[in-house]
Amino acid sequence: MKVGIIGASGYSGELLVKLLLAHPHVTLAAVTSRSQVGKALSQVIPALRGFDKGLKFVDSDAAALSKSDIDLFFLALPHGAAAEFAKVLVAAGKRVIDLSADFRIADLATYERYYGKHHAPELLTQARFVLPELTPTGWKNDVKLVAAPGCYPTSILVPLVPLLSAGVVSREHIVANSYSGVSGAGKKVDEMYLYVERAESIKAYGLVKHRHLAEIEEQIALRTGTPAIIQFNPHLAPMRRGIATTITVPAAADGTIESLYAAWHSAYAGRSFVQAIPSGETPDTAHVVGTNRVDMSAVFDPRTKNFVITSVVDNVVKGASGQAVQIMNLWFGFSETAGLV
Amino acid sequence: MKVGIIGASGYSGELLVKLLLAHPHVTLAAVTSRSQVGKALSQVIPALRGFDKGLKFVDSDAAALSKSDIDLFFLALPHGAAAEFAKVLVAAGKRVIDLSADFRIADLATYERYYGKHHAPELLTQARFVLPELTPTGWKNDVKLVAAPGCYPTSILVPLVPLLSAGVVSREHIVANSYSGVSGAGKKVDEMYLYVERAESIKAYGLVKHRHLAEIEEQIALRTGTPAIIQFNPHLAPMRRGIATTITVPAAADGTIESLYAAWHSAYAGRSFVQAIPSGETPDTAHVVGTNRVDMSAVFDPRTKNFVITSVVDNVVKGASGQAVQIMNLWFGFSETAGLV
Amino acid sequence: MKVGIIGASGYSGELLVKLLLAHPHVTLAAVTSRSQVGKALSQVIPALRGFDKGLKFVDSDAAALSKSDIDLFFLALPHGAAAEFAKVLVAAGKRVIDLSADFRIADLATYERYYGKHHAPELLTQARFVLPELTPTGWKNDVKLVAAPGCYPTSILVPLVPLLSAGVVSREHIVANSYSGVSGAGKKVDEMYLYVERAESIKAYGLVKHRHLAEIEEQIALRTGTPAIIQFNPHLAPMRRGIATTITVPAAADGTIESLYAAWHSAYAGRSFVQAIPSGETPDTAHVVGTNRVDMSAVFDPRTKNFVITSVVDNVVKGASGQAVQIMNLWFGFSETAGLV
Amino acid sequence: MKVGIIGASGYSGELLVKLLLAHPHVTLAAVTSRSQVGKALSQVIPALRGFDKGLKFVDSDAAALSKSDIDLFFLALPHGAAAEFAKVLVAAGKRVIDLSADFRIADLATYERYYGKHHAPELLTQARFVLPELTPTGWKNDVKLVAAPGCYPTSILVPLVPLLSAGVVSREHIVANSYSGVSGAGKKVDEMYLYVERAESIKAYGLVKHRHLAEIEEQIALRTGTPAIIQFNPHLAPMRRGIATTITVPAAADGTIESLYAAWHSAYAGRSFVQAIPSGETPDTAHVVGTNRVDMSAVFDPRTKNFVITSVVDNVVKGASGQAVQIMNLWFGFSETAGLV
């Protein structure tokens, strides 16, 4: 099976290239970039020296690509641009996994409230947000176009959705504080992201209406049947990769730490990429960086009657490219963990 | 005026040495350490090479020190040990500023619930917790023994107390997430604090009953007249110094962002070391590291009706040694900012 | 084919576990540790949660292991201890790849000058130092016991040996400055390796007779036919992994940048794990961390008539565990790059 | 005495502002910036919140400033721009300390070979490169315009010049490897200086003809009477501030470690900002960051007959703004250490 990556100059694109080059069941047949056409992959991604299989960047020409023999395309493009490519590729019968926000939001009005005008609203009905451990499995046959989840939403939805579904926690007073490595901002060349500015520094940003709220709250409503409003506070932390999320949520009247873990174990039985670790131990971003996992744990605070839940992911792997590969594995019937750890 | 430091081998002790050596109004007359007796200060604290004024470490002998002509002692010792020294020095008529937890808690039972047996409970009535911007000014004449506040409490009490006092915020559902640089753990030689373990890593710890809760909640009750229970979630972040605290608290029925800032401006008018920055800007630990400041801001979230408050301090300066020097400045009638920035 | 790892609690041991668990051609059948017996791998190495294939640590019992059906053992032990295990395993007919220094030095007197008494000198004739790109291929059939090279030596020998052999560079005035990430010190719990001490800090150490000199100079003599004395200056740098080595060496009378690159291309044709990059570009540790590569380049300085050569490796991969896997691949006839990138 | 700073938006300018605001003997009367006119200092330099004494940025208008009552100007501008301002200010009788390269090189041809056209060559005879511990003291009365040294040159000249002067070391085969924190590149907004690119990364750059060679070699010739050619290899290291330089130099025929230290002690007797630490200990950038010191030590290698000398400085303090303040202190008769540590 042949796959292609459209737009591979950012951090997610680079990692997709690495994962797909090493994947046991697919052939990376095309990698595109408007600015790097003709260059060897390893010229642009030096970490691939000796291991780029001779591939060169080709132009991001949607029409040409739609006529190729490539079965599946990954879009690692800014939102807006992704929709334009998806339109052409889906029309040509290609399957598409989009890493941008363009098809993460089912409700057009919500999308436009957070992101502005949508460039392919007609595709929304054919698209599906797939967080593999949460999305009901039927999606595999239904769709042509899959939206891979955002990094913050993955770190919040994975621990929270089963608890809301099981009624273990309150739907009110949910507070999620997330701390992201700087790669979360992409390869944006801005004074704010200079080494000297970010090393040894933590700051909040994007308060109080970060774009990822749109998919967090829509997914909670869709997956649990009832809306919830989340206080989501994102921050930048002095590390390259990783997200650490700490969620405080009141226990439901009959919610206990045992029922919380029972809800997790029930939701994630047999899922290697979600690990509920014992209450009292806390997950560490360093343990998941480079992996496609979510590690999470919870503790009950008898003074406040809250659960404090901590979860960690690698924003570029489970938060982006690794999850996209996991989606491909499931979609095409490969082992869920093929090419991933 | 002569001052002494008892126990100067940790990070707070080192900084105290630097601040007091450079202070315009006092003479650092003795620095003690059981393990370093006879060594030049700069042998143990290489950052002081050429600037240690020829001082050598002397033994931590409370009896001998209590007979010296030193007016004021700073205790930079573990809790428990501090109480032992305070007993002897206070009995000899010396003034003492204690950086440990031993005299931060007025209520003995609370102290012993969090820290175990107290070694000088008879001193509790003569001691006072002094967070200069919050403690009513009368303390200067009343006391012989001052407890300098902890680092996390400083980052939480400074923004929160005036808002609770003014009734701008709820007393319920208060969630404080704090992220501390690794120096917050002191110079503890443990695998957990190795460079390789902590670089590029965030993790929660001490959930759900961190010792600093004792002073946070006691001070809230004392300063605002009513208790509040805080959900306090401490974390380790990959930086040497700095604490970033993000507090989520429901707005009171008539609490607005304007009334919040008004409460802050009223409480901290003329206080250089507390800076309320405009709503919409967020404080950054990098801006306060090396300074004795608290920078803080707040934003109202119309979706959740919460305020999100962020504050930053240098855990070793405003969170420890700088605040101790500020206390000295006020106690002895120097300019509050003497020897500090 | 079954493999075992003896001593897996350090950074090299951990990486070996990961590489061998994921290796396409071998089964990791035993992992030992005196202190962790009975624990699941993922309890001790949390990065493996969900991916430890149910393995538990067993005791480091050489006699028992020598009777098992395991074909190959990796020793990830301190020097001295490694020799003790090698003795028993080799006597039982097992093949052994040792990551310690015990069998890196062919000359016993040299070993004992740098490391003290050798615990299995009788094995020296059966052992071989194998740096796959430099050691003549005959070793595969000759030996029972392979010493995997040290990290610094790998970063120095790979660029230097072909140039000395080809007579492109002088044998005098060779200066190698190396900067290592902190994992190079292993998981040693010492104040020097605390996060607060090492972050934002560079310092030299081990001047002027670092133990790695023994294997650097012996290999130069063995591989190039003539001794050379190296000025080797190791340093600690504020990063977790990676070594950056900069070698200054006078050009030989007829040495040109073209002849230098020709020597490299001739020595390393077809070797994916050694990448000579164009003169004028410089390698970056970030490009090789996580890979088994050496990236290197050189430039001629017409003012000094020196070549300045820079090379980078991941100290734990090509400098330890990755290279050990590469040795296994070659020894057992697998693809050289199997299980590695 | 009133001082002004022209161009204060870079890292050196920011530090100059801090040092001069806190200086006991001068009043900072003007801070200019083309892009920030009218803003409070603390809006642009948030670390100064509460401590900017109400100062606002004024326009960088050389003519207007030359008519002010300010006695001394610091130029923290790019080279080229500095010369233009110096011309106007010196003509108006002002004293000037320039932190750029414009007046560091006495020889015009050398300047233009490294930097291109000089914009005020007529001032070269009135200017003086002053590295306070090395420049003969007569300069104080001779000059109107002082060039503060570069960061790398400071770390190399301070240890090396006395040894060359005393004949303790060879003039040949001198190799200086320097590793600089990222602030050495200034606040340049370029992909190369992004956090994600520089964290956990070391790489060489600027091989083999870095601009700082011009002043290093000219100063060696001027100060020691004979030229020497230096192999200077600069690198970027993952830290914000600090330079670690390691110099390898053959011992002269009768050069011993004792004579080396004797030369240092003789050259730097009574100079607080240069600290020769014992052979066998090595300086650490972390010990000098935030200070105006050079720490250095040396060791003799009996195998190679080289001295290995290591020196550390804070590139922004002793390597730039601190040294400029030290120059001011000496020029105006203040204590050399006033306002510095």
Side-chain angles (χ1 to χ4, degrees), chain A residues 83-150:
Chain A
E84 304 282 8
F85 275 86
K87 239 187 319 199
V88 179
L89 295 167
V90 168
K94 302 300 184 186
R95 297 208 223 180
V96 173
I97 297 175
D98 178 19
L99 282 79
S100 88
D102 277 351
F103 301 100
R104 289 180 187 157
I105 318 295
D107 183 65
L108 180 62
T110 303
Y111 179 92
E112 298 200 329
R113 194 158 62 249
Y114 282 85
Y115 292 95
K117 189 172 161 43
H118 199 292
H119 293 262
E122 69 280 10
L123 283 184
L124 285 176
T125 53
Q126 302 173 55
R128 191 74 54 84
F129 173 98
V130 176
L131 204 167
E133 289 85 358
L134 288 176
T135 306
T137 49
W139 67 268
K140 293 176 209 176
N141 310 311
D142 297 355
V143 300
K144 280 298 191 185
L145 170 55
V146 172

Side-chain angles (χ1 to χ4, degrees), chain A residues 201 217 231 235 284 303-304, chain B residues 201 217 231 246 284 303-304:
Chain A
S201 163
E217 296 187 351
Q231 183 69 56
H235 300 72
D284 185 326
R303 302 167 64 260
T304 59
Chain B
S201 163
E217 295 188 351
Q231 182 69 56
T246 295
D284 185 327
R303 301 168 63 259
T304 60

